[in-house]
Amino acid sequence: MRTIDWVDGAVELVDQTALPGELRMLRATTVAELVRAIQTLAVRGAPALGVAGAFGVALAAREFAGDAEGLAGAVHDVEVARPTAVNLARGARRAAARLGDGFESVLAEACAVRDDEIAASEAMAVLGADLLVELCGGRPRVLTHCNTGGLAAVVGGTALGVVFELQRRGVLAGVIASETRPLLQGARLTAWELAQAGIEFRVSVDSAGPFLLARGEADAVILGADRICANGDVINKVGTYAHALGAQRAGVPFVVVAPESTVDMDTLDGAAVEIEDRGAAEVTAFSAAVNPAFDVTPHDLVTAIVTDRRVVRLDRGEKL
């Protein structure tokens, strides 16, 4: 199933906040409804956010037809609904470039963004599976972080798409899914997607990941990204950096799988990226808290970056 799509004049998406207890669909017919879905993480994951951004502009083109000021404001609201993932603003701007041609042209471009992400998932699955077998041998065991399946990428997925491909080939030897604090995308969403695919897995607390790697319980770390900077720094769900350090210490590959649409050559390095803070309420109700939604993994901890077009071996000095 497509986890976000344009259906009968609205953006229809899986409400990821309801999983795993309920598979519930949301329909956004206005920009405000879609922005709310983005900000509450009903829709999340870099590729899916790019699609949401593009469809959001289509909603804006219809809702604010003839109101140039309202249209500009609505497009801006979509672009900045979440600041860290580059795909959201990039998808919105791609669709917005067709605003002068009318609603149908904007919608066609938004659907093209969707189709491009679906094709990218298929290509990444093959390239990533080939690389994992090359790096780890015939039957890799992987540790993954956050959620990178179809929920994050319309269908298939980024890193989890590679896991599904390894399973299809009959060579997947095991999966450890970190729970992913603070909203448990791993324990809720990755676990749900793996179960739907009939893949056996174990969930681990985030802080156990590096120790499990040190104990030899995984052959590689494979995860996605919300932004990849020009120097190879990777912006991804908080906890990624710790897994990268653990992988380096254990001597296992650390592989990032993300579409070319997530590569941001206009941002030099991770220090230049605004890191979203989700606020204290998601962590605690009785004290102050710091709650960064993402962290920065330095490029020198990354073995390889897999996109839909290429494999970049940072460990061999290759550049984006």
Side-chain angles (χ1 to χ4, degrees), residues 138-162:
R139 290 184 57 78
R141 302 164 301 159
V142 301
L143 184 151
T144 190
H145 185 61
C146 198
N147 171 256
T148 57
L151 290 170
V154 189
V155 296
T158 57
L160 210 56
V162 174

Side-chain angles (χ1 to χ4, degrees), residues 206-300:
D206 290 0
S207 56
F211 174 65
L212 295 174
L213 292 169
R215 205 162 68 174
E217 297 204 20
D219 302 309
V221 177
I222 181 170
L223 34 67
D226 285 81
R227 187 186 301 243
I228 299 173
C229 303
N231 73 334
D233 285 352
V234 172
I235 316 301
N236 195 47
K237 184 65 182 179
V238 68
T240 299
Y241 184 25
H243 289 314
L245 291 170
Q248 183 185 63
R249 179 72 175 185
V252 303
F254 182 89
V255 177
V256 176
V257 183
E260 287 285 339
S261 58
T262 301
V263 177
D264 182 9
M265 297 302 291
D266 295 327
T267 300
L268 179 62
D269 56 34
V273 178
E274 178 184 354
I275 299 297
E276 173 187 348
D277 190 287
R278 296 292 302 172
E282 288 181 358
V283 177
T284 178
F286 52 84
S287 67
V290 60
N291 186 21
F294 304 92
D295 60 22
V296 180
T297 298
H299 60 278
D300 58 341

Side-chain angles (χ1 to χ4, degrees), residues 182-195:
L183 292 181
L184 301 176
Q185 285 99 328
R188 292 191 305 108
L189 306 180
T190 297
W192 182 79
E193 289 197 88
L194 289 169

Side-chain angles (χ1 to χ4, degrees), residues 122-138 140 161-163 165-166 169 171 222 255 306 311 313:
E122 295 174 353
M124 285 183 289
V126 174
L127 288 173
D130 289 346
L131 178 65
L132 261 290
V133 171
E134 174 190 335
L135 291 172
C136 304
V162 174
V163 172
E165 176 65 17
L166 291 170
R169 297 182 186 186
V171 299
I222 181 170
V255 177
V306 178
V311 175
R313 290 294 298 271

